[in-house]
Amino acid sequence: MGGDGRHGGRRSAAGEPPSASSGRPPESGARSLAADPDPLVVEYLDHLRYERTLSPNTVSGYGRDLARFEGFLRERGAAVLAARDDDVDAFFAASGGEGSTATVARRVASLRGLYGYLVREELVKADPTARLRTPKRRQDLPRVLSVEEVLAVLGHVVPAGPLGERDLAMFELLYGCGLRASELLGLRDGDVDLEGGLVRCVGKGDKERIVPMGAAAAGALGRYLRGGRRTLQRGRRRPELFLNARGRPLTRQGLDYLLRRYLIKAGLEGRASTHTFRHSFATHLLAGGADLRSVQEMLGHANVATTQLYTHVTVEHLREVFLESHPRARRRAPNTHQSFEPADGGAGSPGEGDRAADPSPRDDGEEDR
């Protein structure tokens, strides 16, 4: 049955990892904010959460970064209010500089945000992060699966029983609509229109968008809504669309856990995340001839430059279009029935026919330019 698996030798009845934790290893030098956190850090995170209304994921990321910084300061016998620029420099020379460029850039933003807030509140006079520079981020190309690999994953999701029906509906929506994991898990009862083939989701910045839904996704979702979801509700009405075996909303950790199991079955372990399905959705649309603006709308990108990142894997598609369309690049099927006349003038003589088949050096130079 879908979502049924073993975790550390124990079967998960809910289709989720038995532990409620994310499975992320503890960060070196970090201490939990729950373990004697600095009240000013807690106040700043509340400011982000309630006044700036940043997303829970963003606030959580900032919280982890600041907890790591607090732990580092404690080891140096310092505190947040008394930190100097050399403490900040030492932090990024040690554990603060670990990880990807994007991770380090977020830590820089976390510390800048904290001390900017403390300066505005007149709790510190000098900003120890004033000299910090955000590391230049590489424009990493998104990792995508081929169409065949996506179909291999979906082919291992057997819609037998309520959990299997749920799993197939989820992964069909991830790939068929390009949803983020948070958008998928945030879907409610009234957010899907099976007859119209539409899904309403709320993305970053609480921006709502309508995404078309294909026949495969609509079929899988309809099957789940008519059968599996009613079973998982256990007689209780819940607005959330995707539930675990206990009838509670499926978590992000549960979704990741399920995907890992299906990737293993498909022989693609470690090759994809839930976001890879979104990348693949966009890339396959562009390769199929969809225009960039339409894909931007479906993904909910504020800037088309973000969507342009997906054009990298469509180069082969563009090459095919070029070879089929350009008058100097069109492919010609070899003429196996061509006969050559003696070189006595006329149609078979050297000249016009040979020039067409064998360009002169001047022609080559013109084509190179």
Side-chain angles (χ1 to χ4, degrees):
M1 182 155 45
D4 191 11
R6 296 186 181 277
H7 184 83
R10 180 157 58 93
R11 184 173 296 276
S12 168
E16 298 191 53
S19 170
S21 69
S22 65
R24 182 188 293 107
E27 295 184 299
S28 172
R31 294 189 184 185
S32 169
L33 282 175
D36 193 24
D38 190 305
L40 293 175
V41 172
V42 176
E43 180 182 318
Y44 171 62
L45 293 177
D46 285 341
H47 164 73
L48 297 180
R49 185 179 295 112
Y50 301 116
E51 295 183 34
R52 293 191 54 192
T53 62
L54 297 187
S55 73
N57 286 340
T58 301
V59 176
S60 176
Y62 276 37
R64 289 195 302 272
D65 296 337
L66 296 175
R68 176 184 281 245
F69 182 57
E70 279 192 81
F72 179 82
L73 290 177
R74 289 190 189 103
E75 292 171 359
R76 289 169 65 89
V80 170
L81 277 181
R84 301 174 303 184
D85 53 1
D86 60 331
D87 293 315
V88 173
D89 291 341
F91 172 64
F92 283 101
S95 64
E98 296 174 354
S100 68
T101 305
T103 299
V104 176
R106 190 195 64 207
R107 290 190 191 122
V108 170
S110 299
L111 267 65
R112 276 180 176 169
L114 170 65
Y115 282 101
Y117 173 78
L118 295 178
V119 168
R120 289 193 302 274
E121 296 295 315
E122 299 182 348
L123 295 171
V124 296
K125 292 184 178 180
D127 182 354
T129 67
R131 294 190 298 108
L132 270 183
R133 294 292 177 266
T134 303
K136 190 172 182 179
R137 294 179 60 175
R138 290 186 303 117
Q139 191 74 313
D140 293 327
L141 297 177
R143 180 173 54 178
V144 302
L145 297 175
S146 68
V147 175
E148 293 74 20
E149 288 171 331
V150 172
L151 294 178
V153 176
L154 295 176
H156 282 85
V157 184
V158 181
L163 297 182
E165 291 176 357
R166 175 203 64 189
D167 294 352
L168 185 60
M170 289 193 304
F171 293 119
E172 285 284 5
L173 282 174
L174 281 177
Y175 174 61
C177 298
L179 301 183
R180 299 177 178 93
S182 58
E183 294 169 348
L184 176 81
L185 297 176
L187 291 177
R188 299 293 189 268
D189 272 334
D191 291 336
V192 293
D193 178 2
L194 293 177
E195 289 188 9
L198 298 172
V199 176
R200 178 179 60 203
C201 62
V202 179
K204 290 184 176 180
D206 286 335
K207 292 181 180 178
E208 183 180 291
R209 72 182 189 279
I210 306 294
V211 186
M213 174 173 49
L221 183 57
R223 186 186 303 115
Y224 167 64
L225 292 177
R226 290 188 299 270
R229 185 168 182 270
R230 293 181 179 178
T231 302
L232 295 176
Q233 283 180 316
R234 299 174 180 271
R236 300 185 298 269
R237 293 194 59 82
R238 296 201 67 109
E240 296 86 3
L241 207 59
F242 294 109
L243 307 174
N244 62 22
R246 293 183 292 273
R248 299 171 185 166
L250 188 70
T251 65
R252 174 65 182 268
Q253 291 77 21
L255 179 62
D256 291 340
Y257 174 73
L258 291 168
L259 177 59
R260 284 196 301 271
R261 292 197 53 79
Y262 290 121
L263 288 173
I264 292 171
K265 290 180 180 180
L268 296 169
E269 183 177 5
R271 293 280 306 279
S273 66
T274 53
H275 216 65
T276 307
F277 281 78
R278 177 174 163 88
H279 294 326
S280 303
F281 163 82
T283 302
H284 297 167
L285 277 177
L286 290 170
D291 65 276
L292 200 61
R293 289 290 182 181
S294 296
V295 176
Q296 176 192 3
E297 289 295 324
M298 285 185 272
L299 292 174
H301 286 160
N303 193 330
V304 73
T306 308
T307 316
Q308 284 177 323
L309 200 59
Y310 295 106
T311 61
H312 77 290
V313 287
T314 66
V315 172
E316 184 60 29
H317 171 68
L318 295 178
R319 180 174 178 274
E320 291 294 325
V321 171
F322 169 73
L323 291 175
E324 295 296 334
S325 306
H326 196 279
R328 294 290 283 170
R330 286 178 184 155
R331 292 169 174 162
R332 295 178 178 83
N335 187 353
T336 56
H337 302 292
Q338 182 178 3
S339 61
F340 295 93
E341 300 293 334
D344 57 354
S349 65
E352 184 179 350
D354 285 355
R355 282 198 300 272
D358 186 13
S360 66
R362 178 174 177 178
D363 287 336
D364 285 341
E366 290 173 349
E367 289 184 350
D368 288 342
R369 288 196 294 272

